[in-house]
Amino acid sequence: MDVTTDANAPWLIVGLGNPGPEYAMNRHNVGFMVADLLAERIGGRFKRAGKAQAQVVEGRLGPPGTGSRRVVLAKPMSFMNVSGGPVTALRDFYKVPVANIVAVHDELDIDYGVLRLKLGGGDNGHNGLKSMTKIMGADYHRVRFGIGRPPGRMQVADFVLKDFSSAERKELAYFVDRAADAVEALVLEGLERAQTTYNS
């Protein structure tokens, strides 16, 4: 069921990841990749967000006129496990209701490239979600980007902090593009319609 969102308030779309070039292509940073693509689509460049430990782009998603929505794209510049602080600071600064927040993140329990959109729920061991939920509750939207489980006996922490494999990279741009489409659909059409299209 769709939650009622504030039609006049902006949407805060948070790509979760770790700052720094050494993490850029990690599986854990797919949220940053999707945020970067969305910024490209709205013609904006990330810049430091005042006192918040984050980079932001402000703009509009969707066709010009009544169909577009004001959005703030954000990449927390803390590390993943303390993402909640920067996100909360941005929420307060831009006066965004929790129902207008979207976290884009990697998800271990979904096959690589598969998307799942949802509202609320647990953190499934994801430290970025855990940090956000601890501070502001769980009632925000999530766009979950499947990365699959670690092979063999590889530890989860090692797996998420490794770059996508060469085989995965062949399809990565397509999957990131599709995830960005899913974010747009969620913001412009609502959760149920976006789920129907993208929860493949």
Side-chain angles (χ1 to χ4, degrees), residues 180-196:
D181 289 346
V183 172
E184 289 201 34
L186 171 58
V187 170
L188 298 171
E189 301 171 19
L191 178 61
E192 287 184 9
R193 287 187 66 178
Q195 285 176 323
T196 300

Side-chain angles (χ1 to χ4, degrees), residues 162-182:
K162 284 193 180 304
D163 289 358
F164 284 101
S165 69
S166 56
E168 288 169 334
R169 284 198 296 272
K170 290 175 183 174
E171 294 183 291
L172 183 59
Y174 168 77
F175 288 139
V176 168
D177 190 70
R178 192 165 184 272
D181 289 346

Side-chain angles (χ1 to χ4, degrees), residues 49-121:
K51 294 180 180 178
Q53 202 176 354
Q55 291 184 351
V56 299
V57 173
E58 297 178 54
R60 299 193 78 86
L61 274 182
T66 55
S68 66
R69 297 299 301 267
R70 189 158 64 99
V71 296
V72 179
L73 307 175
K75 297 191 295 186
M77 291 289 111
S78 59
F79 281 88
M80 180 71 87
N81 61 351
V82 286
S83 300
V87 175
T88 304
L90 293 172
R91 176 201 68 183
D92 294 346
F93 180 78
Y94 289 102
K95 298 179 173 55
V96 180
V98 173
N100 281 34
I101 296 174
V102 182
V104 186
H105 64 92
D106 57 304
E107 179 62 61
L108 286 160
D109 286 338
I110 304 174
D111 290 341
Y112 174 59
V114 173
L115 298 175
R116 290 286 184 273
L117 282 65
K118 69 179 220 175
L119 173 68

